[in-house]
Amino acid sequence: MKVLIVNTSEQAGGAALAAKRLTDALNNSGVKAKMLVRDKETQQLTVVGLSTGLHRRWHFLWERWCIFCRLRFSRKHLFDLDIANTGNDITRLREFKEADIIHLHWVNQGMLSLANIRKILRSGKPVVWTMHDMWPATAICHLTLGCNKFKTACRQCKYLPGGGSENDLAARTWARKQQMLSGQHIAFVACSRWLQGEARQSALLRGQRVECIPNPINTHIFRRTNKQQARQRLQLPQEKRLVLFVSQRATNANKGMSYLMEACRQLAAEHPDMRESTAVVVLGGHAEEYENQLDFPVHALGYINETQRMVDAYNAADVFVLPSLSENLPNTIMEAMACGVPCVGFRVGGIPEEIDHLKNGYVAAYRDAADLARGIRWVLSECDYSDASQQAIRKVAHNYSQQSVALRYEELYNQALATKHFKL
């Protein structure tokens, strides 16, 4: 069996990491998998990049310009929306022609247009589409943030100026997506049960198959190592209890740094001893902006894309905190737990599926900084830390290992092939 995994980027973003890890997991299990990306950044033989040229950049810029115009030249939601009005025809590529299964992942920002996807669907090859957010089930947004219009039909979009209209950009894109899916069948995969439940309520995906398979992780790479040595390599203090926050861009409001700041303020006020014994490690772009913003000392590591330094960052920490306001199944929590680090996060999206409350971490009430503070305190001072750490490792090994996830995808691929052959 040959599988072509399609994603915009090879390395940038959680979807890229998940797609690359799945490619590796499938190859390790005997399935021939290749990854097709727009932005190829390594010399990996299993990753194929689109041909270089100005047209790749043009697709991205043209879509952004069209959205920018609809936003009345405001940048506020410029990267929250995608309309897939331009992209690359991959059906002509040798890798596409040789593949038995086409497996789409995050294909936005000029990678594939809706017309390109329709051509893929009409090629006759079985298509699996892993959802890393809600975009495949909505018109134009990746995060619905409480909006339920996708359950009937997207229009009057809250992301658009003035709340949109009956025939706004969302409504028109919704109609184009309906046309794309008409008469076609895709095996959609959600990475969390939460996302699966949301996707199954989408009027756009009515009649489509929506399964739930988590992202895989290589537990031979993300594993517990010596904490003191990890801190030494990153030049972090040996004697303090370290709270770790990780985001591709630390200033991304959706990742909830403001709630971590408030939680730290409350902890410092209620437990003055923590001011001397605790520090916060911030990993991600613009991390340095928080160096003097928290009530505890801050160590800004900046953006890291080296796997070993990421493993060191997790192993250096005593607790990992991700106060995101919207999440699917965060790779970062999975990575931290694989390294034996108890985690704290809000009860949102797939986070409660990863963190078992008061066992391997703490699930705080949504948008509740006080409860977030209680969770951090529980991990650092109240729980049986050794047991919580071991339970975190066991949870990842049982649910998210490469072998278990690859096996579930192989079963799905075989079912998709059998269904396609039956129809033929």
Side-chain angles (χ1 to χ4, degrees), residues 2 60 78 108 119 283 346 372 385 389:
K2 294 183 179 180
F60 169 77
L78 185 57
N108 299 112
K119 193 169 183 179
L283 193 156
F346 285 141
L372 192 71
Y385 192 88
S389 174

Side-chain angles (χ1 to χ4, degrees), residues 156-175:
Q156 295 178 319
C157 180
K158 67 180 183 180
Y159 284 99
L160 298 174
S165 65
E166 284 293 320
N167 190 36
D168 59 12
L169 182 63
R172 295 195 298 274
T173 305
W174 178 274

Side-chain angles (χ1 to χ4, degrees), residues 45-114:
L45 297 178
T46 55
V47 181
V48 179
L50 293 177
S51 59
T52 58
L54 292 175
H55 71 281
R56 289 193 309 157
R57 188 66 177 166
W58 169 251
H59 291 316
F60 169 77
L61 292 174
W62 176 244
E63 184 186 31
R64 288 310 104 190
W65 173 253
C66 293
I67 295 172
F68 192 42
C69 291
R70 300 306 189 282
L71 294 176
R72 297 177 187 170
F73 308 105
S74 167
R75 293 177 57 88
K76 184 176 181 182
H77 295 303
L78 185 57
F79 291 96
D80 296 329
L81 310 175
D82 277 288
I83 58 176
N85 62 332
T86 183
N88 302 275
D89 180 4
I90 66 171
T91 61
R92 301 177 184 179
L93 301 178
R94 175 174 58 86
E95 291 79 11
F96 182 92
K97 294 176 181 178
E98 292 177 349
D100 300 304
I101 298 282
I102 306 302
H103 190 161
L104 306 180
H105 281 254
W106 202 87
V107 292
N108 299 112
Q109 295 191 0
M111 177 62 182
L112 296 180
S113 68
L114 297 182

Side-chain angles (χ1 to χ4, degrees), residues 5 22 36 51-52 60 75 83 101 106 157 195 200-201 213-214 218 223 238 264 324 343 346 423:
I5 291 176
L22 178 59
L36 176 66
S51 59
T52 58
F60 169 77
R75 293 177 57 88
I83 58 176
I101 298 282
W106 202 87
C157 180
L195 185 60
R200 284 180 170 175
Q201 297 181 71
I213 303 177
N218 188 334
R223 60 187 179 86
Q238 294 285 351
C264 288
S324 291
C343 299
F346 285 141
K423 288 179 180 179

Side-chain angles (χ1 to χ4, degrees), residues 144-154 158 198 201-203:
T144 55
L145 299 179
C147 176
N148 291 311
K149 291 179 181 176
F150 68 93
K151 297 178 182 179
T152 51
C154 288
K158 67 180 183 180
E198 292 291 293
Q201 297 181 71
S202 170

Side-chain angles (χ1 to χ4, degrees), residues 30-44:
V31 175
K32 295 181 179 179
K34 284 188 176 180
M35 187 174 173
L36 176 66
V37 300
R38 184 193 67 192
D39 304 326
K40 180 173 168 62
E41 300 166 82
T42 73
Q43 298 302 313
Q44 286 281 335

